[in-house]
Amino acid sequence: MATLRTKREALVLVKEMTPENLEATVRRSSRNGLAPKRLQYSPEEETPKKKRKTKAVAVNGSQNKKPKDEEDAENSDVEHAPEGYGRLSAYELERLENIRQNQAFLSSINLFQATEEFKQLTRPKPSQRGLTRAHAAVKEVLPPRKSLRLQKKEAEILELPPEPRGTLIYEQSSPAKKPSGPLPMDPVNVEEGSKLPPQLLELCSEDVKEDKKILLDLKGYCSSMKINEDKVAKVVKDRIFSATFHPCTSSLLLAAGDKWGKVGLWKLGGDWGDDGVLLFQPHTRPVGCMAFSKSHPTQLLSLSYDGSLRCMDVEKAVFDDVYDIEDGLKTFDFMSHDCSTLVVGNWYGEVAIVDRRTPGNSHESLHTLDPKTLRCVNVHPLQKQYFVVAESKVVSIYDSRNLKKTKSQAVSQLHGHSLSISSAYFSPCTGNRVLTSCMDNNIRIYDTSTMTTKSPLLTTIRHDMQTGRWLTKLSAVWDPKQEDCFVVGSMMKPRRVQVFHESGQLQHSFMDSENLSTVLSVTAFHPTRNALLGGNASGRLHVFSD
DNA sequence: ACGTGATGACTCC
DNA sequence: TGGAGTCCCTCACG
């Protein structure tokens, strides 16, 4: 049993103490060697539940037969008064003793006191900044209803709707995919017909100097980066799948994409929309990947599982089509410094090299890699012909000049992953390292400086990746300002975001009892400023900055 | 054996 | 009072 570090942690523990997970807690504790003696049931019995079942069988056999009143006592979970002890078997005395020891153990860790002391405490209220309820819920006005019976009419004969055809049925009634062609950039959270705030274009067009990178000792600058209530806001409605900083430096401008294809733009301290948040709906299914164009920072490219890749252009105030397939886009990256060519990966294990200067999909080149396993593509920062692909259990580096329709030969491979790999990224300055996040609970760093057929593994870091059903998968991502540090969300309590050096050394844990109380699955550093973002499962962005 | 798919308790307005 | 919002772990199944 871990020591309780904060009041909230203790409260969570207490709140979670249902009979089911109390059992689990005791089991966990026993692995740590701290637990009291476990209840000792007879060998074939695992739990009290099972016990009852097996007992029913045992009654028929002659060996374990017990008087009926003793059985009732067990089932009622009420202990007999002391005079009853005389009739208890040795097994039951041991059971009572175990219960007593368990009680003593639970008292010794102050669980019961903690229950009393922290009963009133709740987790901090989520930030009310950003999107509001009024905008989030569209109220449907229905005419008053009167049943047919009250209207004294014959009942209608209703028929079941026809069985849906096709193989893909999404949860809820998923809205139809947006039509192709430019979509107007109309925010859904402000009054209809209102224009984009002109300051947004101004901010996006701001001259960005790459050489203004602030290189400080990481430990120093991490501890200067703080969060406060102004730096948390609801930017999209649902769970965040992707998020990024705009490269501008005079203000902090962020973008996030959610589960239902919404894209939110948030300027910290902005006076437009809801606390600086503008919400758009360019897609209809999760926005898996997004990035601002480095050569045209008024453009934000966003990719969705619905099969569309669009380019939000603040200048033209539209979402343009960039690339479109029926379904299942997964990931993309820029292949040239001018951001005109892209590598786009889909669920079917195909990568397409897309040139944005030729409209439509006609000029794309499509290459099938390992089918159904592609999860991430990332281009080498200097040698743009190389891109790294996270496949099922291997990461491959391909040369885009050397791709075939099928069975392309990888330039180099990174081995050692034992489960599926969620992401793989080249280090930002030299590309001499590749950082991978794997479902086997390891973050790995490989040496790709020589591009030999097998790139050597340098570092392995244990990290809990079991995010389960309700959270976006964790991905370790480099700090673009330097070569050798990366950030990753964490399941640990109290909730935190961690920064590691490529050597495996933990540099900093970003925590805040007031403003960070959820898992931040999606994380990213600002390209030039000392700022870090984290997105959670309810559409909130959190910023740590100077 | 791994990837996939599945909820429920609680609070607040 | 009920519906919407918030948060997020493990396990069965094929």
Side-chain angles (χ1 to χ4, degrees):
Chain A
M1 178 69 58
T3 353
L4 304 177
R5 268 157 300 200
T6 64
K7 287 187 172 186
R8 189 166 310 113
E9 197 177 349
L11 179 71
V12 168
L13 225 155
V14 170
K15 276 175 73 180
E16 288 171 356
M17 276 303 153
T18 59
E20 292 80 6
N21 62 19
L22 180 61
E23 167 87 8
T25 307
V26 171
R27 224 181 298 135
R28 269 199 300 278
S29 306
S30 67
R31 280 204 294 274
N32 298 334
L34 292 166
K37 242 169 123 182
R38 195 165 182 277
L39 291 174
Q40 287 168 3
Y41 301 106
S42 47
E44 73 275 17
E45 296 166 353
E46 278 286 313
T47 66
K49 245 185 190 170
K50 269 193 181 170
K51 184 181 169 72
R52 294 215 175 91
K53 274 188 194 163
T54 41
K55 195 160 61 186
V57 179
V59 169
N60 294 333
S62 57
Q63 300 233 324
N64 290 334
K65 204 164 184 179
K66 289 177 197 166
K68 193 181 177 301
D69 55 346
E70 282 191 27
E71 259 189 61
D72 289 343
E74 276 190 15
N75 287 336
S76 68
D77 280 340
V78 176
E79 302 307 332
H80 279 301
E83 68 263 23
Y85 270 63
R87 294 192 295 130
L88 293 182
S89 66
Y91 158 73
E92 276 164 327
L93 285 172
E94 190 181 346
R95 175 173 171 270
L96 289 176
E97 174 60 13
N98 284 340
I99 289 171
R100 197 193 57 75
Q101 283 184 22
N102 284 347
Q103 297 281 353
F105 167 73
L106 290 173
S107 306
S108 76
I109 61 169
N110 292 330
L111 204 56
F112 297 128
Q113 288 94 318
T115 316
E116 290 311 308
E117 194 178 335
F118 303 130
K119 235 170 200 170
Q120 297 94 344
L121 281 184
T122 50
R123 79 165 62 226
K125 199 178 172 185
S127 161
Q128 298 303 298
R129 219 166 276 277
L131 299 178
T132 58
R133 278 184 178 226
H135 291 131
V138 181
K139 264 210 167 165
E140 199 180 349
V141 183
L142 294 170
R145 287 189 220 180
K146 202 174 176 186
S147 74
L148 287 170
R149 184 178 60 82
L150 288 177
Q151 293 175 54
K152 304 205 156 82
K153 286 181 183 168
E154 280 295 303
E156 291 173 44
I157 295 165
L158 297 173
E159 276 178 34
L160 286 174
E163 287 287 316
R165 278 189 297 177
T167 48
L168 287 172
I169 301 162
Y170 302 123
E171 58 177 298
Q172 300 185 7
S173 51
S174 167
K177 192 172 158 181
K178 300 271 166 186
S180 59
L183 289 173
M185 213 176 142
D186 293 333
V188 299
N189 67 325
V190 299
E191 280 176 40
E192 227 169 289
S194 50
K195 283 181 185 168
L196 283 181
Q199 304 96 309
L200 178 64
L201 177 59
E202 224 169 275
L203 186 60
C204 287
S205 330
E206 189 180 293
D207 200 19
V208 180
K209 290 195 182 77
E210 275 282 326
D211 54 8
K212 252 172 54 183
K213 284 180 183 177
I214 304 154
L215 287 177
L216 291 169
D217 163 54
L218 191 82
K219 266 187 182 157
Y221 89 70
C222 274
S223 50
S224 75
M225 290 159 66
K226 301 281 186 217
I227 192 170
N228 61 41
E229 56 186 26
D230 298 332
K231 299 183 188 175
V232 183
K234 193 167 169 86
V235 176
V236 283
K237 266 194 72 177
D238 218 300
R239 174 173 151 195
I240 294 181
F241 273 68
S242 54
T244 186
F245 276 108
H246 186 273
C248 65
T249 52
S250 66
S251 298
L252 290 174
L253 178 65
L254 294 80
D258 81 354
K259 183 176 165 181
W260 294 110
K262 294 207 164 56
V263 169
L265 284 181
W266 177 36
K267 180 194 167 191
L268 268 79
D271 50 7
W272 58 66
D274 294 304
D275 299 313
V277 174
L278 294 173
L279 184 67
F280 306 93
Q281 175 114 47
H283 309 282
T284 54
R285 300 205 52 225
V287 183
C289 197
M290 57 164 58
F292 284 97
S293 161
K294 277 162 236 159
S295 58
H296 298 94
T298 55
Q299 299 181 343
L300 171 73
L301 283 93
S302 60
L303 167 149
S304 167
Y305 296 1
D306 70 14
S308 59
L309 172 55
R310 290 182 179 269
C311 173
M312 179 192 86
D313 191 323
V314 179
E315 212 169 343
K316 288 158 65 183
V318 292
F319 287 92
D320 271 322
D321 273 325
V322 173
Y323 181 66
D324 192 90
I325 62 172
E326 199 172 319
D327 174 65
L329 283 187
K330 184 76 186 161
T331 168
F332 79 92
D333 194 15
F334 299 113
M335 281 213 107
S336 56
H337 291 284
D338 65 1
C339 299
S340 61
T341 53
L342 310 166
V343 53
V344 185
N346 66 30
W347 281 343
Y348 311 103
E350 296 159 337
V351 290
I353 310 296
V354 176
D355 190 333
R356 292 170 60 198
R357 291 164 297 193
T358 54
N361 292 353
S362 53
H363 291 81
E364 105 216 13
S365 72
L366 194 66
H367 312 276
T368 304
L369 308 176
D370 193 3
K372 294 204 175 187
T373 62
L374 185 147
R375 315 206 180 230
C376 181
V377 295
N378 184 245
V379 174
H380 193 289
L382 304 176
Q383 297 162 280
K384 297 278 186 188
Q385 71 274 23
Y386 292 131
F387 63 94
V388 64
V389 180
E391 293 171 275
S392 166
K393 281 180 191 169
V394 67
V395 174
S396 303
I397 298 170
Y398 293 98
D399 185 334
S400 61
R401 302 166 303 185
N402 248 335
L403 284 179
K404 295 180 193 154
K405 284 286 163 210
T406 58
K407 292 180 183 170
S408 296
Q409 191 71 41
V411 177
S412 180
Q413 289 200 310
L414 323 183
H415 295 279
H417 302 90
S418 63
L419 287 177
S420 72
I421 302 152
S422 351
S423 65
Y425 297 106
F426 278 112
S427 58
C429 304
T430 65
N432 284 345
R433 301 283 183 268
V434 166
L435 171 68
T436 69
S437 308
C438 180
M439 292 309 286
D440 66 8
N441 291 339
N442 285 301
I443 292 169
R444 295 178 174 84
I445 293 131
Y446 290 83
D447 180 358
T448 50
S449 54
T450 52
M451 287 286 182
T452 44
T453 42
K454 217 179 136 187
S455 295
L457 174 65
L458 290 180
T459 314
T460 305
I461 303 163
R462 290 297 287 180
H463 196 81
D464 183 7
M465 298 288 183
Q466 308 309 307
T467 45
R469 182 181 176 201
W470 305 107
L471 299 178
T472 302
K473 283 193 170 67
L474 301 177
S475 280
V477 290
W478 296 103
D479 178 354
K481 294 185 285 299
Q482 49 198 326
E483 174 64 9
D484 47 15
C485 287
F486 63 88
V487 60
V488 61
S490 167
M491 298 293 286
M492 282 169 81
K493 291 179 185 177
R495 303 306 191 189
R496 66 194 68 188
V497 172
Q498 296 179 312
V499 175
F500 288 92
H501 184 259
E502 65 152 49
S503 62
Q505 199 187 0
L506 178 65
Q507 301 289 303
H508 194 75
S509 287
F510 288 95
M511 291 198 259
D512 191 287
S513 58
E514 297 292 312
N515 301 294
L516 200 180
S517 58
T518 59
V519 175
L520 301 185
S521 297
V522 179
T523 53
F525 270 108
H526 192 281
T528 52
R529 276 187 58 170
N530 292 334
L532 170 70
L533 69 78
N536 77 6
S538 56
R540 287 192 168 75
L541 279 179
H542 302 63
V543 176
F544 286 85
S545 64
D546 283 347

